[in-house]
Amino acid sequence: MWGVCSRTAVGMAKTCLFKRPCHLVKPVSATRVAGRYLSHQRGLPALPVPPLQQTCERYLNALEPIVEADELTRTEELVQDFQRPGGVGERLQRGLEKRASMTENWLSQWWVQVAYLDFRMPVVVHSSPGLVLPQMDFRDQQGQIRFAAKLISGVLDFKAMIDNETLPVEFLGGQPLCMNQYYEVLSSCRIPGLKRDSVVNHAKSSLPPKHITVVNNFQFFELNVYNSDGSPLSSDQLCIQLERICSAAQETSAEPVGILTTLHRDIWGKAYLNLMKDETNRDSVTAIQRSIFTLCLDRAGPHGSEETYRSCAAIQMLHGGGSPGNSGNRWFDKTLQFIVAEDGTCGANYEHAPAEGPPIVALIDHVVEYTRKPEAGRPEAGQPVTLPPPRRLNFNISPEVQKDIDEAERSVNRLAQDLEMKVKVFQHFGKNLPKTFKMSPDAFIQIALQLAYYRKYQRCCATYESASLRMYRLGRTDTIRSASNASAAFVKAFDDPNKQNSEKVDLMEKAVKAHRWYTNIAISGQAIDRHLLGLKMQAMEEKLSVPALFRDPTYSKALHYHLSTSQVPSKTDCVMCFGPVVPDGYGVCYNPMEDHINFAVSSFSMCSETNAVDLAQAVEDALLDMRRVLEQSPKSKL
Ligand code: COA
């Protein structure tokens, strides 16, 4: 098994393999350096299919801390039957191995379908993450426009690296990563269907788009961001164009057509057909779908105190605050939406089907760095020429479409009311502290989450942490199951007054090591969840009845993630946020910086058992208590 990271080489390092300056803005028409991206991709290994017996064993191990003994006994029998020689498991395994030999990645297409395109809940809150940047230092529309113009220039600067194939290749544990996701996030959009959605990527078309869409006061505009010679508009030119958009948008009011994209996907699929009956609407929707990205120029949202600012901002990024707020000032199907509000609140929302958080954050890190550079330090392409005004994208609202908009307003308001979000900046230490104690910071945080959950509920729960599979061609993610026998032993002992500190530290070290071990097997394609999914999909592909193993209530329990978590690190002091994946669960995203950790914790207020504010506090307490016992234990002192 290759690719298991050593603890000193697990960080994401970046190396520019391609010897071109990375920050140079190249005209979009610049000759594509054909083949660099492709040859890098071809050099990547294919995702392996793990051995059947290994997965079966690891599955039973993973169940131990989260199911009752009688449930486990029943599942053990099902597993035995599934993997018996000549049984259905072996047949499906062979099918999967054949699929792996015939495809670039046996999993990726299935995964996008099952996890995203067949998932019918609204993308808002249930699938699309938000990202909260630090509040910028402007408080009016003038400042908003200036910043937004720089932001557009920053994205175009990044896009030039994609177009020219000069994007630095990323590494994990010394292994180069698949860069495909970077090629999927710009100029793409999700399209609603009646039963299944799709994603179109116009960057790959013969006429790639040269415009972005800007939405202000619920009105959409097409803004061409390149001059006729292919050079990007300068920040000054963009400012002029954005001013034109804002004054045109203030002159009239409009129905919030974008709010339709917050609907349940089956309902939106039908509403989409209604909307697209009209030619003007078709033209406008196509312009949005084709655009490089969407820029949402928001009005200021509610602030609250300094303490609650980031939580309020996260809500703006995740769903826009409902119909009285900015939820209609979005097109949630768009892969990438940057959000800039008049009060300096900034961030993004992205549709998850084409990519995970890390490539989005890498793009945003680049953009933030770009906006901080002095104007003089930046290449200014294009002379100040008179530009045609941005094109307003009109919509004709039939009574049918109006009804759909009304329904979308009601449903997004319910959703907005239901979502509880707490952004907590844990100020006491960052990833530096676990490193001092020779522990993986990510594992340390995950074990603190286990402790926080156990203290609140007196039980361990199925926990999901995303692990990158990007060491493999077209790799997406697998699941790190953070609840392990070792973590269960630790959380059960931690508050036991009869246990000595040294024993607690010993159990903590074992739990952290077990988590890092699972991380290593997950990133090297040897975890259980995608393999089990693949075996189930293979049964469906071969039109076999779904094996009893997958109809087992224990399997459903194992997939009912009360804790759905993800680390999304960044250079910028920001945090990503997402909703819980089950009605009685939590979504927890965190960004460990050197000396502090940003957490975004979400829950649904309809569930009386969960409370994001309480869990965030419990995580803080767990981290502090874990530090305390480490510092009090002579063994751990360096
Ligand atoms: N002692 C000292 N230092 C250690 C250590 C130890 N025992 N173990 C790890 N470290 C160091 C690492 O070298 C690294 O150093 P750096 O800050 O200089 O880079 C740092 O601690 C962080 O390592 P760790 O906390 O173990 O996490 P990681 O960076 O390996 O990340 C995952 C772990 C699971 C988050 C990562 O592998 C991954 O898969 N990321 C993608 C997740 C994703 O896709 N999320 C988005 C979903 S939308």
Side-chain angles (χ1 to χ4, degrees):
M1 188 167 68
W2 73 275
V4 176
C5 304
S6 74
R7 71 168 182 73
T8 49
V10 286
M12 294 249 198
K14 287 183 172 188
T15 304
C16 190
L17 277 190
F18 312 133
K19 305 277 184 234
R20 290 192 118 195
C22 296
H23 297 280
L24 204 63
V25 178
K26 287 275 165 204
V28 75
S29 57
T31 319
R32 216 170 144 89
V33 189
R36 281 181 174 163
Y37 162 70
L38 276 181
S39 64
H40 163 70
Q41 290 294 113
R42 278 195 205 114
L44 295 169
L47 180 69
V49 180
L52 183 63
Q53 270 193 324
Q54 172 184 293
T55 294
C56 289
E57 253 167 55
R58 287 179 178 174
Y59 174 50
L60 291 173
N61 276 342
L63 291 177
E64 280 176 28
I66 56 168
V67 303
E68 302 301 328
D70 55 332
E71 294 173 306
L72 189 61
T73 307
R74 162 96 188 114
T75 303
E76 273 165 357
E77 286 164 16
L78 294 175
V79 167
Q80 282 314 321
D81 187 51
F82 183 71
Q83 64 172 351
R84 86 187 134 77
V88 68
E90 282 194 353
R91 173 175 173 176
L92 298 176
Q93 177 77 1
R94 273 197 306 278
L96 262 194
E97 284 164 1
K98 187 163 173 220
R99 180 181 168 89
S101 70
M102 288 160 51
T103 50
E104 275 206 282
N105 181 314
W106 62 265
L107 173 66
S108 55
Q109 221 181 341
W110 276 345
W111 177 246
V112 171
Q113 265 169 30
V114 174
Y116 303 112
L117 305 179
D118 289 345
F119 181 69
R120 307 314 286 163
M121 296 290 277
V123 289
V124 179
V125 173
H126 297 291
S127 174
S128 299
L131 179 118
V132 192
L133 287 169
Q135 188 173 19
M136 299 297 158
D137 60 358
F138 56 84
R139 297 290 177 271
D140 59 10
Q141 197 182 57
Q142 208 47 42
Q144 177 189 27
I145 287 175
R146 277 235 74 82
F147 180 80
K150 286 192 219 164
L151 181 145
I152 298 170
S153 298
V155 183
L156 297 181
D157 193 57
F158 195 87
K159 182 175 179 295
M161 289 195 281
I162 296 174
D163 292 339
N164 299 334
E165 301 190 11
T166 53
L167 197 62
V169 167
E170 290 164 329
F171 285 79
L172 178 64
Q175 303 290 340
L177 297 185
C178 173
M179 298 300 285
N180 179 64
Q181 292 181 29
Y182 285 98
Y183 291 79
E184 303 296 336
V185 295
L186 295 174
S187 313
S188 68
C189 194
R190 181 164 171 153
I191 315 282
L194 291 175
K195 292 253 179 290
R196 169 182 288 177
D197 293 358
S198 53
V199 174
V200 277
N201 182 344
H202 295 280
K204 294 167 184 166
S205 72
S206 53
L207 259 184
K210 299 194 171 164
H211 69 279
I212 64 166
T213 35
V214 181
V215 50
N216 180 229
N217 199 22
F218 306 150
Q219 293 155 64
F220 288 83
F221 294 82
E222 178 183 285
L223 168 58
N224 195 339
V225 287
Y226 291 98
N227 289 299
S228 51
D229 65 356
S231 60
L233 296 194
S234 66
S235 290
D236 288 344
Q237 287 174 310
L238 288 165
C239 270
I240 294 166
Q241 296 296 63
L242 293 177
E243 271 163 13
R244 285 164 138 178
I245 286 173
C246 288
S247 52
Q250 295 315 312
E251 279 165 17
T252 53
S253 64
E255 283 299 323
V257 190
I259 212 157
L260 290 169
T261 60
T262 66
L263 279 165
H264 183 280
R265 303 310 291 179
D266 288 347
I267 303 173
W268 174 213
K270 280 191 212 133
Y272 184 75
L273 295 180
N274 288 337
L275 184 72
M276 298 295 268
K277 278 181 199 157
D278 179 279
E279 200 185 328
T280 304
N281 296 350
R282 266 203 307 282
D283 177 62
S284 297
V285 169
T286 307
I288 297 170
Q289 290 167 344
R290 278 182 49 78
S291 62
I292 300 166
F293 62 89
T294 293
L295 169 68
C296 309
L297 295 176
D298 275 14
R299 49 186 178 224
H303 260 169
S305 60
E306 207 176 305
E307 156 80 10
T308 57
Y309 170 77
R310 284 208 195 200
S311 304
C312 295
I315 278 168
Q316 290 300 315
M317 301 310 142
L318 203 57
H319 59 62
S323 68
N326 291 301
S327 297
N329 213 44
R330 308 272 184 276
W331 193 267
F332 282 102
D333 289 356
K334 195 71 196 146
T335 305
L336 199 45
Q337 299 191 90
F338 290 96
I339 298 159
V340 182
E342 253 178 46
D343 61 353
T345 301
C346 288
N349 179 283
Y350 84 94
E351 200 289 296
H352 215 322
E356 264 66 62
I360 304 286
V361 166
L363 190 157
I364 286 172
D365 274 340
H366 179 91
V367 170
V368 169
E369 207 179 298
Y370 190 94
T371 60
R372 286 181 185 148
K373 278 193 221 162
E375 303 271 336
R378 286 196 238 114
E380 282 289 307
Q383 294 306 306
V385 291
T386 315
L387 297 162
R391 179 166 80 104
R392 178 189 281 278
L393 299 174
N394 292 309
F395 286 93
N396 293 323
I397 308 297
S398 68
E400 256 181 324
V401 172
Q402 184 62 56
K403 252 178 74 187
D404 293 331
I405 291 176
D406 295 345
E407 166 58 24
E409 290 190 328
R410 281 192 297 273
S411 67
V412 79
N413 290 344
R414 278 195 302 270
L415 188 55
Q417 233 181 353
D418 195 13
L419 188 89
E420 207 184 335
M421 172 63 69
K422 174 68 190 171
V423 174
K424 182 161 214 83
V425 181
F426 176 81
Q427 300 279 15
H428 305 273
F429 56 85
K431 59 182 175 179
N432 49 3
L433 180 104
K435 282 188 194 177
T436 312
F437 288 97
K438 301 199 168 103
M439 292 189 201
S440 146
D442 184 68
F444 188 84
I445 294 167
Q446 284 290 330
I447 297 308
L449 273 163
Q450 290 298 309
L451 179 59
Y453 189 91
Y454 184 81
R455 281 174 160 180
K456 218 167 140 38
Y457 298 98
Q458 298 302 302
R459 60 165 196 259
C460 302
C461 69
T463 307
Y464 180 112
E465 187 196 3
S466 324
S468 178
L469 283 178
R470 286 177 56 211
M471 281 190 200
Y472 301 102
R473 197 181 312 129
L474 304 185
R476 295 293 300 263
T477 58
D478 206 328
T479 310
I480 302 167
R481 288 190 166 265
S482 311
S484 63
N485 285 328
S487 75
F490 167 68
V491 299
K492 284 174 191 166
F494 196 78
D495 291 325
D496 184 342
N498 299 318
K499 300 272 190 252
Q500 298 294 315
N501 262 0
S502 55
E503 193 178 343
K504 293 179 187 178
V505 167
D506 189 45
L507 290 169
M508 189 195 303
E509 282 171 351
K510 285 186 175 134
V512 166
K513 274 195 185 126
H515 187 85
R516 188 62 232 184
W517 172 82
Y518 206 115
T519 300
N520 288 342
I521 64 155
I523 61 177
S524 50
Q526 300 295 325
I528 57 175
D529 280 275
R530 300 302 181 265
H531 187 202
L532 289 173
L533 173 76
L535 293 164
K536 185 177 167 199
M537 296 295 288
Q538 186 62 31
M540 287 152 78
E541 194 92 342
E542 293 187 28
K543 306 213 174 353
L544 300 173
S545 62
V546 173
L549 183 65
F550 302 115
R551 289 182 273 112
D552 178 17
T554 303
Y555 186 59
S556 310
K557 197 168 178 180
L559 296 180
H560 192 89
Y561 294 111
H562 284 108
L563 281 176
S564 168
T565 75
S566 189
Q567 182 195 139
V568 183
S570 68
K571 283 192 235 157
T572 313
D573 189 9
C574 62
V575 68
M576 217 167 226
C577 55
F578 46 75
V581 295
V582 293
D584 53 349
Y586 294 96
V588 183
C589 195
Y590 52 93
N591 177 7
M593 312 286 291
E594 281 310 314
D595 57 4
H596 68 281
I597 309 168
N598 298 329
F599 285 97
V601 182
S602 65
S603 63
F604 290 118
S605 45
M606 292 241 272
C607 174
S608 58
E609 284 165 27
T610 53
N611 183 314
V613 175
D614 286 358
L615 189 80
Q617 187 56 50
V619 174
E620 171 155 314
D621 295 345
L623 285 166
L624 288 173
D625 290 346
M626 283 166 66
R627 175 177 74 176
R628 184 176 43 75
V629 294
L630 280 173
E631 287 178 344
Q632 286 171 359
S633 160
K635 177 186 162 210
S636 302
K637 285 196 180 123
L638 293 180

